[in-house]
Amino acid sequence: MVENDWEGLRAWVVQGQVCLVEVAAVQGSAPRACGAWMAVSAQGVMGTIGGGHLEWEATRLAQQWLAQGLQGVPRSHRLALGPSLGQCCGGVVELRLSAVDAAQLDATRERLQPQRMPVALFGAGHVGHALVHALQPLPFSVHWVDSRDDMFPATALPHVCCEHSEPVQDAVRDLSAQSLVLVMSFSHAEDLDIVCACLRRQRERGDLPFIGLIGSATKWAVFQKRLAERGFAESEIAQITCPIGLPGIPGKEPEVIAIAVAAQLLQLRAQQLAVS
């Protein structure tokens, strides 16, 4: 089953018993941190606690737990990865086994879901589409904006809100606070208008921690001049990151750019969570 397929998990619960395996505690090095989880049933496994021998043993314990009818009795198992499982991580993992209750499934989902960080994506071109798909399994919610209303997918995507805005920069006003903004519209003129709207919002609220602009060094040099002409100070212009994407990942294909940008967003998310 696809990870985080909650409707699929709901169907498993209807069909029979499901064991939830959570990483409750970690000492030393381990494949996953506290909060990682997997669900085990007669139909298969959803999620992951790190793979390898640890996950194999966790699956075996969960299947044994289900077979013994211990659903009303949560159980903990302490596994030393080196001595017990032959994994070179060398740490100790405590697993908690419990039943997935149909009545509490929504509450369980809320508890287990990672904190999603808002991303505002301006532009539904090739890179925009590739980026939205790259972000699907990651802990982000996407506010996707374009001035062209026929550019979005016909089918709704989880954690993605599509907005047609004309003029496109008007959408900046209503973005969620702390949004990570990415600007990659179909025209440089729109890009400039969006960036200006972001900087004006920064003057008023200062609540956009990242404003990224797709483009080359040449484009950025032109934009810096035009932003200065529009009255923005050097310190304000310095709030824009251009080009975007984690450095050192070569390639201009939309999918490659999307992976580099997604990696940069994950890095930013980690930094923000570290100081929150």
Side-chain angles (χ1 to χ4, degrees), residues 23 25-27 30-32 54 77-81 91-95:
V23 177
V26 170
Q27 294 178 336
R32 295 289 299 273
L54 171 64
H77 293 271
R78 185 176 184 275
L79 301 175
L81 301 179
V92 176
V93 174
E94 181 180 328
L95 302 178

Side-chain angles (χ1 to χ4, degrees), residues 119-260:
V119 171
L121 173 59
F122 287 86
H126 295 302
V127 177
H129 278 260
L131 180 57
V132 166
H133 285 285
L135 294 178
Q136 278 294 284
L138 302 177
F140 298 100
S141 58
V142 181
H143 185 171
W144 198 4
V145 186
D146 201 290
S147 61
R148 304 161 294 173
D149 61 0
D150 58 348
M151 296 299 292
F152 300 113
T155 304
L157 297 171
H159 311 296
V160 177
C161 172
C162 299
E163 178 185 355
H164 168 237
S165 179
E166 178 58 49
V168 67
Q169 66 270 19
D170 282 359
V172 172
R173 179 183 59 250
D174 298 322
L175 297 180
S176 298
Q178 303 305 310
S179 290
L180 307 177
V181 181
L182 297 167
V183 182
M184 51 180 72
S185 79
F186 74 97
S187 80
H188 285 194
E190 277 200 353
D191 284 353
L192 183 61
D193 287 338
I194 296 164
V195 168
C196 288
C198 288
L199 291 181
R200 284 192 290 269
R201 173 164 168 163
Q202 285 295 84
R203 282 179 179 176
E204 297 171 2
R205 300 183 232 175
D207 62 352
L208 300 176
F210 180 79
I211 305 169
L213 171 67
I214 197 169
S216 63
T218 301
K219 176 182 176 180
W220 179 227
V222 172
F223 266 56
Q224 290 179 82
K225 180 180 179 181
R226 290 178 178 174
L227 288 169
E229 291 170 350
R230 292 198 182 193
F232 292 104
E234 186 176 339
S235 60
E236 293 178 301
I237 297 172
Q239 296 176 73
I240 308 298
T241 297
C242 182
I244 54 175
L246 208 62
I249 302 177
K252 296 185 178 181
E253 299 84 356
E255 294 77 12
V256 174
I257 297 172
I259 292 298

